[in-house]
Amino acid sequence: MSRRLNLLVGLLSLCLVVPVFLSAQPDVQAGKDLFRSNCAACHNRNMKDKMTGPALGGTQERWSAYPQEDLYAWIRNSSALAAKGHPLAQQLVKDWAPVVMTPFENLTDDQIASLLLYIDAVYTGKEGDTAAGAPAAAVPVAQKPNNIYYWLLL
């Protein structure tokens, strides 16, 4: 009985631990793909100049006085965050009226992190000249741990 219990506990532990190691990690290329499909119509690809929407370079710094969740909430639904009375959200809505940012409520935290990683890489010059189509420079990102549970699943 003890052996079966140990096996059951081991399998249950494996089921709880493995998803943590297999979850998506923020990635510059994923951020680039998300930017092109969701943001490029309104935001300048160089991240420094205004277009229909504001320049995105330095976004994280501009939101640094607030919890990261506020920036993520803004990206997902700017109008809803402003309606809740968030001071920066209200100011941005006022500054950019009548333009309203499209909601992206389906984006996950990892996708938003990838998007912000890409924006920062372009803004700081670490990504290369993406607007001109030059090859992107390597940007270090978090690596998945080399874990035996990962290999057992394969």
Side-chain angles (χ1 to χ4, degrees):
M1 183 70 172
S2 174
R3 189 173 181 193
R4 286 184 182 172
L5 183 59
N6 285 341
L7 181 61
L8 181 62
V9 169
L11 288 173
L12 183 58
S13 298
L14 181 65
C15 291
L16 295 174
V17 171
V18 169
V20 171
F21 293 109
L22 297 179
S23 65
Q25 297 289 322
D27 176 71
V28 173
Q29 184 60 49
K32 182 177 187 176
D33 295 341
L34 286 163
F35 179 84
R36 285 182 173 173
S37 62
N38 296 294
C39 312
C42 297
H43 297 281
N44 200 311
R45 286 182 274 176
N46 69 13
M47 309 302 169
K48 296 177 182 178
D49 298 319
K50 297 174 184 177
M51 217 164 90
T52 303
L56 295 179
T59 296
Q60 294 180 83
E61 291 78 17
R62 289 190 296 275
W63 282 83
S64 65
Y66 302 97
Q68 178 181 353
E69 294 81 23
D70 291 4
L71 174 56
Y72 283 38
W74 168 262
I75 292 168
R76 287 189 177 110
N77 191 331
S78 59
S79 296
L81 187 62
K84 290 181 181 178
H86 191 282
L88 182 55
Q90 288 181 326
Q91 185 61 49
L92 288 169
V93 167
K94 180 182 172 189
D95 292 348
W96 285 90
V99 175
V100 178
M101 184 169 148
T102 303
F104 297 102
E105 295 174 317
N106 61 326
L107 292 179
T108 66
D109 284 353
D110 284 335
Q111 288 175 316
I112 293 173
S114 293
L115 186 57
L116 293 171
L117 189 65
Y118 170 70
I119 290 167
D120 186 60
V122 172
Y123 183 64
T124 60
K126 295 177 185 173
E127 205 276 334
D129 186 12
T130 58
V139 175
V141 294
Q143 297 291 318
K144 290 182 184 175
N146 187 5
N147 191 301
I148 187 127
Y149 296 122
Y150 178 75
W151 295 108
L152 287 174
L153 287 176
L154 296 177

